[in-house]
């Protein structure tokens, strides 16, 4: 989800809820402790220089059970960040504390909840690494019905 998309969704919501990949909701007393831009400069295993840019939201929860972040407040935080950092309309990455370490998630929306969806790793230089690309075989359909002399065509 891009920054413009979350802003549009927030304008139509009365409450904010984030749902983890396992279906559980992030507790309602969460805070958005950071909104920022993360730039990652790197070289892939094939030697190609790359750069990734994302808008990062960090969700945090503590024992502040009376706290509720409302959509208009999150919009204000985003707008302050945009003014300060002049964000492009980038994809959003969400960080949330897991059982052992911080998890990073992509963001989606189901009409009610923001969905924290899994991020996966991948080789960006399959050809350079010698890893074969998956071969997709197309099965030939042979059927007597499809035979031009069968009379059904």
């Amino acid at each position: 989800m891009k920054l413009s998309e979350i802003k549009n969704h927030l304008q139509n919501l009365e409450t904010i809820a984030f749902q983890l990949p396992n279906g559980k909701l992030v507790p309602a007393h969460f805070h958005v402790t950071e909104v920022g831009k993360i730039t990652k400069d790197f070289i892939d295993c094939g030697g190609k220089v790359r750069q990734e840019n994302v808008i990062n939201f960090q969700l945090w929860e503590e024992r502040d059970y009376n706290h509720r972040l409302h959509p208009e407040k999150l919009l204000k935080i985003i707008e302050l960040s945009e003014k300060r950092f002049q964000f492009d309309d980038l994809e959003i990455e969400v960080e949330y504390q897991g059982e052992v370490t911080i998890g990073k998630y992509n963001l989606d929306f189901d009409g009610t909840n923001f969905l924290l969806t899994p991020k996966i790793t991948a080789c960006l230089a399959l050809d350079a690494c010698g890893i074969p690309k998956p071969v997709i075989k197309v099965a030939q359909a042979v059927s007597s019905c499809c035979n031009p002399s069968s009379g059904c065509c």
Side-chain angles (χ1 to χ4, degrees), residues 16-69:
I16 305 172
F18 286 90
Q19 185 175 333
L20 294 161
N22 65 8
K24 293 182 181 179
L25 292 177
V26 170
H29 58 276
F30 74 91
H31 298 243
V32 174
T33 61
E34 296 178 9
V35 174
K37 177 181 172 184
I38 295 179
T39 300
K40 178 180 171 184
D41 294 311
F42 62 101
I43 297 175
D44 70 23
C45 55
K48 183 176 179 181
V49 174
R50 296 179 183 263
Q51 183 180 76
E52 291 180 357
N53 294 291
V54 295
I55 301 298
N56 180 266
F57 288 11
Q58 186 178 80
L59 305 183
W60 179 73
E61 60 173 286
E62 190 51 42
R63 292 174 288 247
D64 179 7
Y65 299 109
N66 296 320
H67 180 270
R68 298 293 183 270
L69 181 63

Side-chain angles (χ1 to χ4, degrees), residues 3 6-7 10 32-38 54-58 69 72-90 92:
L3 189 62
I6 194 170
K7 288 169 51 179
L10 288 169
V32 174
T33 61
E34 296 178 9
V35 174
K37 177 181 172 184
I38 295 179
V54 295
I55 301 298
N56 180 266
F57 288 11
Q58 186 178 80
L69 181 63
E72 61 275 4
K73 176 68 174 178
L74 182 52
L75 273 170
K76 286 181 184 177
I77 295 168
I78 292 170
E79 289 168 1
L80 284 171
S81 299
E82 285 179 305
K83 285 179 188 174
R84 176 69 173 121
F85 301 115
Q86 300 175 350
F87 291 150
D88 292 324
D89 191 23
L90 298 172
I92 297 171

